[in-house]
Amino acid sequence: MLNLDSTTMVLVLALGNLTLCSLLFFFDFGAARAPALAGWGLSRQVQAGAWVLLALGGARVVPEPLALPAGWALLIGGVALEAGAFWEAAKRPGWRRAMVPLAVVAVGVFLVCYLIDDIGLRNLAALLLLGGFYLLAAAAQAQGWRGLGMLQRVLAIVTALLALVVAARGILVLVTPDGWRWLSHELLRQLSSAALYVLMLAGGFGWLLLARERLQAEVARLETVDTATDVPNRRGFFAALAPWMALARRPGLPTALLVLDLDNFKRVNDGYGHPAGDVVLRHVAALCKRQLRDSDQIARLVGGEFAILLPRTGMPEAALVAERMRAAIETTPVKTERAMISMTASFGVTTIRADDSNVALLQRAGEAMHAAKAAGRNRVVQAAEAAGPDEGAAAT
């Protein structure tokens, strides 16, 4: 444990946490904060209060018998809350909820150890508990390791290593009271003090950098995702289409494209309002997804118009998929706050040709879809097949 006769490091930790709390106060000032950010901010406030209390105890401003147990109990609880915030950010609320009872039990264990032995056993309990909660924070940061960015991976590794340094001092105090070889208690005290300081910086600035990284990722995602239906938008669809357009120039299985447009969708927005229209769009997107494979791609182009890419699918098979979707939309009314709304859709079906451009492909599928509307709506129309070499020669 820190040598409280050397008050400098404790003051540095106290001021550092207070500075982080001040910066957090102005971060997204006035905006509603996510539960993870709110929990992390609370943990920083608790830790700042703990270090201030320990500093006051070390300076004899507050009696040590009060400052030591209260300060370390608050610090253990604050680190537990920080670990819970990281689990919340990792979308594991069950682990986050477990941190509160774990913190209560940990504080109880520490206080019992303090009453039994206010030096050796206290050191062991406090540092092992702090190291354990920091390890839990590192485990939360490492969730979904393969999909993590380099920053979060580094933070998880650094947090775990520093947590082991903190816990190692508590173990060494109990196992080797006189130190171990060149690793004296004084050296390990300095290392554990430095580890706690770096953990404060890594946890604080690392959290803010990760929040910025997540925000940038969300902005990038929204550039290619339709917010009403949570499927790719027009830009996202063309990004997914590009490799299949290139493959169409090579011999192999064809790739099909469906374009569907909801019949009389404008009447839904005009009669029931745009919120009801968004419900209809989400409902239709969900119905279509149920008919698709994992490799297929649905996107919303504009209004009530969707495009569906079917890799390695010929015209007859694509027409069958379109017919299943058409029937599902027709027979499944949409429940909104104001009414049950029945919808139908018109489909155009085509396949990608070697000489296609994005414009030509969508235009051909769109023309087939408009032909379905002209024929009475709620039907599937296939685009005309490309003329073969023999047909082209005969026509010439």
Side-chain angles (χ1 to χ4, degrees):
M1 188 175 293
L2 291 174
N3 181 0
L4 293 180
D5 291 333
S6 176
T7 315
T8 304
M9 181 57 74
V10 183
L11 283 172
V12 168
L13 288 164
L15 292 173
N17 277 279
L18 287 173
T19 302
L20 286 173
C21 290
S22 301
L23 292 175
L24 181 63
F25 178 78
F26 295 105
F27 180 72
D28 282 348
F29 180 77
R33 291 179 176 174
L37 180 58
W40 181 78
L42 176 62
S43 77
R44 282 294 158 183
Q45 294 170 23
V46 173
Q47 290 179 61
W51 286 116
V52 168
L53 190 56
L54 289 172
L56 293 176
R60 304 297 192 271
V61 176
V62 176
E64 281 194 3
L66 174 62
L68 285 180
W72 284 104
L74 278 176
L75 186 58
I76 292 168
V79 174
L81 291 176
E82 184 176 355
F86 276 109
W87 282 108
E88 181 72 33
K91 298 184 176 8
R92 298 292 185 91
W95 278 91
R96 187 263 302 164
R97 288 190 292 270
M99 288 303 109
V100 175
L102 276 177
V104 173
V105 172
V107 169
V109 169
F110 167 77
L111 292 176
V112 169
C113 292
Y114 182 85
L115 292 174
I116 296 173
D117 179 3
D118 64 353
I119 298 179
L121 194 56
R122 176 193 72 188
N123 290 349
L124 174 67
L127 293 172
L128 283 181
L129 290 169
L130 284 176
F133 281 121
Y134 275 124
L135 282 174
L136 285 174
Q141 294 174 56
Q143 292 299 299
W145 180 263
R146 291 184 179 180
L148 296 181
M150 186 56 66
L151 172 62
Q152 190 162 351
R153 289 185 178 188
V154 170
L155 284 173
I157 293 171
V158 168
T159 302
L161 292 176
L162 293 174
L164 292 174
V165 172
V166 172
R169 180 157 186 252
I171 296 174
L172 192 63
V173 168
L174 182 68
V175 176
T176 57
D178 298 324
W180 181 70
R181 296 185 181 180
W182 56 268
L183 192 60
S184 65
H185 283 294
E186 177 59 23
L187 175 60
L188 196 56
R189 181 192 69 78
Q190 294 176 1
L191 289 175
S192 63
S193 298
L196 288 169
Y197 181 72
V198 176
L199 281 167
M200 177 194 69
L201 293 178
F205 292 104
W207 180 281
L208 296 178
L209 288 172
L210 286 175
R212 182 175 179 272
E213 191 177 77
R214 292 189 191 103
L215 181 60
Q216 290 176 330
E218 181 64 14
V219 170
R221 188 187 76 87
L222 291 177
E223 290 180 352
T224 58
V225 172
D226 175 61
T227 55
T229 58
D230 202 32
V231 301
N233 56 19
R234 191 180 188 91
R235 181 175 180 178
F237 173 72
F238 282 126
L241 177 63
W244 297 104
M245 294 289 287
L247 286 174
R249 296 180 176 87
R250 306 176 185 176
L253 294 174
T255 293
L257 175 70
L258 313 180
V259 171
L260 74 91
D261 189 60
L262 296 177
D263 300 324
N264 301 315
F265 179 65
K266 187 175 183 299
R267 294 182 183 178
V268 176
N269 283 332
D270 294 343
Y272 299 101
H274 287 280
D278 289 345
V279 173
V280 169
L281 291 172
R282 287 192 292 271
H283 175 81
V284 169
L287 285 179
C288 292
K289 283 181 180 179
R290 293 174 193 168
Q291 307 298 327
L292 299 177
R293 303 164 297 184
D294 291 340
S295 59
D296 300 333
Q297 181 71 69
I298 181 171
R300 182 188 174 198
L301 299 181
V302 63
E305 187 173 320
F306 292 82
I308 300 168
L309 186 67
L310 303 176
R312 301 181 180 87
T313 306
M315 183 77 84
E317 295 83 2
L320 288 175
V321 173
E323 181 58 34
R324 290 202 302 268
M325 291 181 181
R326 185 206 62 78
I329 294 170
E330 180 185 23
T331 57
T332 312
V334 186
K335 183 178 181 181
T336 68
E337 291 184 358
R338 298 181 60 182
M340 291 288 291
I341 303 174
S342 295
M343 297 297 300
T344 59
S346 301
F347 288 77
V349 184
T350 190
T351 54
I352 301 177
R353 301 171 185 172
D355 58 347
D356 266 336
S357 65
N358 290 345
V359 173
L361 175 65
L362 281 177
Q363 182 177 355
R364 187 169 63 251
E367 288 173 352
M369 181 267 292
H370 287 298
K373 285 187 177 291
R377 299 188 178 91
N378 190 28
R379 62 192 65 219
V380 176
V381 170
Q382 300 179 37
E385 296 281 0
D390 295 340
E391 294 176 283
T396 304

